[in-house]
Amino acid sequence: MNKLWGQPDLILKLMKKMTLYIILLVYPLLSLCSKLRSLLTSRTPSFQWASALNARDLVKQAQVLDIGNKGLPQRLFLFFCLATPLSTALYRFLIFTVVTGCGFRATTILTSIVGIIFNQAFGLYLYLFHLLRVSFQRQFNLLTLYFRDHEGEERRCRGAFFSTVVDFQCFRGLVNLSIFVMYPVFVFAISTNLTYQYMIVNSPCIMDNPLNMSVSQHSLRLAWLEIILSLGTYLIAIGGIQVEYVFNNFITNLLHLRSSEHRVFWNNLIKDINHVTQDSYSFLVTIIFSFISIFLAFNFSSQNVTDLIACNSTTAIVCV
């Protein structure tokens, strides 16, 4: 990527690579923040989301799912999370070796191995998000039954309520942060690939050479495949575009249990719910950045779209 810096006509290519790197690196960086959070003695409220990835919290949520006895839930989704990144990484390896005709070079093999490792890590993180979401859904269902069996026992119910909600707030903060980063990146990736696809048609260097055309078409297919699979897997993992619905469904089920016999108990509980319920503006900010991404992507001009291609050389493809 260092060859792309300071090249005005290669900004589009630089942005394409950066979107891929950001998607692959965001979750290892979140894990690093979680590790740093566990080492801090002070408890910074704005950094509470990092607790969701602590080993102790993960073990707590695994106990809710009873993984020791029942095993991992949704094994098919785990296979999907591992198989799809591996398939795109292998497709990329074939493009750089077979389609371009460059052969099996040491740098290509090493780059592909590193890419496979990061792609697999990305898939595992998405499955971890899925596990945490399912765990909290089950925990909220158990908490609803607990309220039903102990209706009117305000002290016990409030303790169980806040214990669960505090953990979920950390998970929700983690998901909102990932949404804040990932959605604009996905929108920008879609916009740049659309721009790239239309600009190829106006490039004689690509259109007049069958090999150049083949490389460009495979690169575009790979880019769209990565976007669709990554975005689709992410949406399945968190169960939609946001995770707030998990808590909202719990509140709805809880209020269905309300009875006039314990009016004071339920009125105090509603006050607690209003206290912990906070409006999140992260999605609004995400939408704003997404529109900015669309504007930037479609306003690139005079870009060099000859990916892996040197039009002014004796050979069509430059193997690096």
Side-chain angles (χ1 to χ4, degrees):
M1 255 178 55
N2 57 333
K3 297 179 180 179
L4 304 178
W5 290 105
Q7 302 291 334
D9 61 334
L10 295 177
I11 295 178
L12 187 61
K13 186 177 177 181
L14 175 64
M15 293 298 103
K16 285 185 62 182
K17 287 183 176 293
M18 285 186 63
T19 54
L20 174 63
Y21 294 157
I22 291 174
I23 290 175
L24 294 180
L25 291 176
V26 61
Y27 292 112
L29 290 176
L30 291 177
S31 295
L32 178 61
C33 292
S34 176
K35 187 62 177 178
L36 294 175
R37 171 68 175 81
S38 63
L39 297 176
L40 294 176
T41 55
S42 60
R43 301 301 182 186
T44 307
S46 59
F47 208 38
Q48 289 292 333
W49 57 266
S51 300
L53 293 176
N54 285 345
R56 182 175 57 185
D57 294 88
L58 293 177
V59 170
K60 183 194 299 185
Q61 297 308 128
Q63 290 174 344
V64 175
L65 294 174
D66 196 13
I67 293 179
N69 296 323
K70 298 182 180 179
L72 291 172
Q74 300 292 329
R75 295 182 182 87
L76 183 61
F77 183 66
L78 174 60
F79 173 78
F80 182 79
C81 288
L82 294 176
T84 52
L86 180 62
S87 62
T88 55
L90 292 176
Y91 186 25
R92 179 180 296 275
F93 177 73
L94 290 176
I95 293 175
F96 277 85
T97 56
V98 179
V99 178
T100 62
C102 294
F104 299 90
R105 294 170 173 261
T107 55
T108 304
I109 295 175
L110 180 60
T111 303
S112 300
I113 292 175
V114 174
I116 290 174
I117 293 173
F118 276 95
N119 275 273
Q120 293 293 88
F122 173 75
L124 288 174
Y125 273 108
L126 291 184
Y127 182 70
L128 178 61
F129 270 45
H130 176 72
L131 282 184
L132 290 174
R133 176 179 63 84
V134 173
S135 174
F136 278 111
Q137 286 178 314
R138 187 167 299 179
Q139 191 170 0
F140 280 133
N141 289 337
L142 293 175
L143 188 59
T144 303
L145 297 177
Y146 185 85
F147 271 75
R148 184 196 63 185
D149 297 336
H150 298 86
E151 184 181 6
E153 301 179 32
E154 184 173 341
R155 185 174 181 179
R156 297 178 64 179
C157 290
R158 290 182 79 247
F161 173 78
F162 280 109
S163 176
T164 304
V165 169
V166 167
D167 292 336
F168 179 75
Q169 294 281 51
C170 296
F171 172 64
R172 181 168 65 175
L174 175 66
V175 172
N176 286 340
L177 180 61
S178 67
I179 288 174
F180 180 77
V181 176
M182 297 291 285
Y183 282 2
V185 171
F186 280 126
V187 172
F188 191 78
I190 293 172
S191 303
T192 52
N193 275 282
L194 285 173
T195 305
Y196 186 82
Q197 188 165 3
Y198 279 103
M199 292 176 68
I200 282 178
V201 181
N202 299 321
S203 175
C205 167
I206 296 177
M207 299 300 295
D208 297 341
N209 189 300
L211 182 57
N212 294 352
M213 189 64 184
S214 177
V215 173
S216 298
Q217 287 179 342
H218 280 287
S219 298
L220 280 172
R221 292 193 191 106
L222 173 63
W224 285 118
L225 189 63
E226 288 174 333
I227 292 172
I228 293 172
L229 291 178
S230 299
L231 180 58
T233 308
Y234 183 81
L235 293 176
I236 294 174
I238 66 174
I241 59 175
Q242 283 185 301
V243 78
E244 274 77 4
Y245 75 94
V246 175
F247 183 71
N248 293 335
N249 289 344
F250 163 67
I251 297 304
T252 301
N253 295 331
L254 202 61
L255 293 179
H256 284 162
L257 301 176
R258 183 169 49 182
S259 64
S260 57
E261 183 180 355
H262 300 92
R263 186 183 303 273
V264 176
F265 167 79
W266 287 108
N267 288 339
N268 292 334
L269 178 61
I270 292 174
K271 292 179 182 179
D272 293 335
I273 293 174
N274 294 332
H275 176 72
V276 300
T277 303
Q278 56 183 6
D279 295 327
S280 175
Y281 298 97
S282 61
F283 196 67
L284 177 61
V285 177
T286 302
I287 293 175
I288 295 174
F289 275 99
S290 298
F291 278 110
I292 294 175
S293 299
I294 295 175
F295 175 79
L296 290 175
F298 282 109
N299 279 274
F300 286 130
S301 60
S302 304
Q303 294 297 297
N304 183 2
V305 295
T306 55
D307 197 16
L308 297 175
I309 299 168
C311 294
N312 57 353
S313 65
T314 56
T315 57
I317 303 297
V318 175
C319 301
V320 293

